[in-house]
Amino acid sequence: MRTLMLHGHSTSSFIFKAQSGPFRSKLGNSFQWEFIDGPYSCPPPRGLKMVMWKAYKWMEKPGVESIKKSVQWLQNYIDKHGPFDCVCCFSKSSSIVVALMLYHAREVANGSQKPLPFKSAVFINGNLECSVLEDLGLPVTQEAKEVQTKVEDMVKSKVDAMSNLASSLVKPQGLWDDTSQLLHDPDELPEPSDCFGLDFTSFPPDAFISIPTVHMYGGKDPIFTSSIQLAYLCDPNKRVMYDHQGGHDVPRTPDVVADMASAFRKLDQQMKATA
């Protein structure tokens, strides 16, 4: 299984290689990983300056037009280097991949014959952009927009407050343990009709992502709200949802690492069975 690996905001392919190393090490040579940097350079987070000199982001600036530019950039890359069996995204890169899939579906509905450039997707602490849903004419409430802004601000505040973010690449502890400000109950999933301001029962059937997906999210992560929205935007018969019970990071505890590797194996088997 050939997988395109996309890092989070203001990090790099180098960092994502380190973050994903534990679960990748449990998978054999039949699994191939291609890491790329986002299209825009940016300063690294304060605590990562000791381990990285360059950082990259996926959007030049907030907004749907910037997302569309990044979608085209990613599509151009895949046209040249793909196709891929799977795309694995951490955090903000999910927004670009989801936008690519949603805009692709609209093009297919308008007569395009171009296939989707990957057969499956894995989202780790995935992120969904309300602006893309709005641009596609889907119903987005003011509550959903406010939730998105609040949780992204929470994550930024947590990261900025950490004195040595680099240490979290090895042993993430403490940063996400204070859950008093979270906007969600990590022990209870919302109804699809009221998912943090989005009513997925009002979405048309062709609005949903139809390829197999895996959603790994953390109950302590403020972005949990967006991760669940993203999961609900995917076909329930083809999605797997897994709470790693951590914060906004790539889990590296032994039990969770084993579960993540198992999820990739099952996804590979699922695709082979339907090939």
Side-chain angles (χ1 to χ4, degrees):
M1 186 166 81
R2 185 170 181 239
T3 301
L4 181 63
M5 302 289 286
L6 307 180
H7 62 81
H9 177 68
S10 293
T11 61
S12 67
S13 58
F14 171 80
I15 294 298
F16 198 29
K17 284 179 183 178
Q19 291 173 316
S20 62
F23 75 77
R24 289 189 298 110
S25 69
K26 305 222 174 256
L27 298 167
N29 292 334
S30 63
F31 290 85
Q32 300 175 357
W33 316 93
E34 183 160 338
F35 292 82
I36 63 172
D37 291 316
Y40 302 102
S41 61
C42 63
R46 190 170 51 209
L48 280 178
K49 290 181 179 179
M50 292 187 298
V51 296
M52 62 183 294
W53 296 267
K54 291 183 179 180
Y56 301 88
K57 58 184 181 179
W58 293 100
M59 292 181 283
E60 187 176 17
K61 57 185 178 181
V64 70
E65 293 306 318
S66 183
I67 292 173
K68 287 180 178 179
K69 286 177 61 178
S70 296
V71 165
Q72 188 58 58
W73 179 91
L74 182 59
Q75 182 65 64
N76 291 343
Y77 180 89
I78 296 174
D79 286 345
K80 183 176 180 180
H81 301 280
F84 294 90
D85 299 305
C86 180
V87 59
C88 176
C89 321
F90 175 64
S91 188
K92 203 68 173 177
S93 59
S94 303
S95 301
I96 307 304
V97 169
V98 171
L100 186 153
M101 289 192 282
L102 295 178
Y103 287 124
H104 174 271
R106 184 173 66 177
E107 291 170 0
V108 169
N110 291 332
S112 172
Q113 299 296 314
K114 188 173 184 177
L116 198 62
F118 33 77
K119 303 173 185 176
S120 62
V122 176
F123 300 106
I124 305 173
N125 298 77
N127 185 263
L128 179 65
E129 290 285 340
C130 288
S131 60
V132 172
L133 301 182
E134 274 195 309
D135 188 56
L136 290 165
L138 297 170
V140 177
T141 66
Q142 185 61 32
E143 177 191 355
K145 297 176 189 177
E146 291 174 355
V147 167
Q148 178 179 318
T149 298
K150 287 178 181 177
V151 298
E152 289 182 355
D153 287 346
M154 284 184 197
V155 170
K156 185 177 185 302
S157 177
K158 287 271 191 181
V159 172
D160 287 346
M162 190 171 186
S163 59
N164 188 9
L165 182 58
S167 66
S168 73
L169 296 176
V170 179
K171 192 175 182 181
Q173 288 182 343
L175 180 62
W176 308 105
D177 288 343
D178 181 5
T179 59
S180 60
Q181 301 300 314
L182 294 179
L183 303 183
H184 66 273
D185 179 353
D187 297 320
E188 184 176 349
L189 291 176
E191 293 294 326
S193 60
D194 186 15
C195 184
F196 309 109
L198 294 179
D199 177 5
F200 288 98
T201 64
S202 69
F203 283 28
D206 60 1
F208 293 87
I209 293 168
S210 60
I211 63 173
T213 57
V214 177
H215 305 264
M216 302 176 182
Y217 49 86
K220 297 179 181 179
D221 181 11
I223 301 290
F224 174 97
T225 56
S226 194
S227 297
I228 300 303
Q229 290 174 333
L230 171 51
Y232 285 7
L233 188 61
C234 299
D235 185 338
N237 296 314
K238 297 181 181 179
R239 76 180 180 219
V240 173
M241 299 174 65
Y242 175 73
D243 184 356
H244 59 68
Q245 300 184 351
H248 195 68
D249 46 37
V250 181
R252 287 171 291 283
T253 57
D255 289 347
V256 175
V257 163
D259 288 342
M260 294 175 76
S262 177
F264 273 92
R265 289 192 199 96
K266 291 177 181 178
L267 190 59
D268 183 38
Q269 293 168 1
Q270 179 182 358
M271 289 190 296
K272 287 177 179 176
T274 57

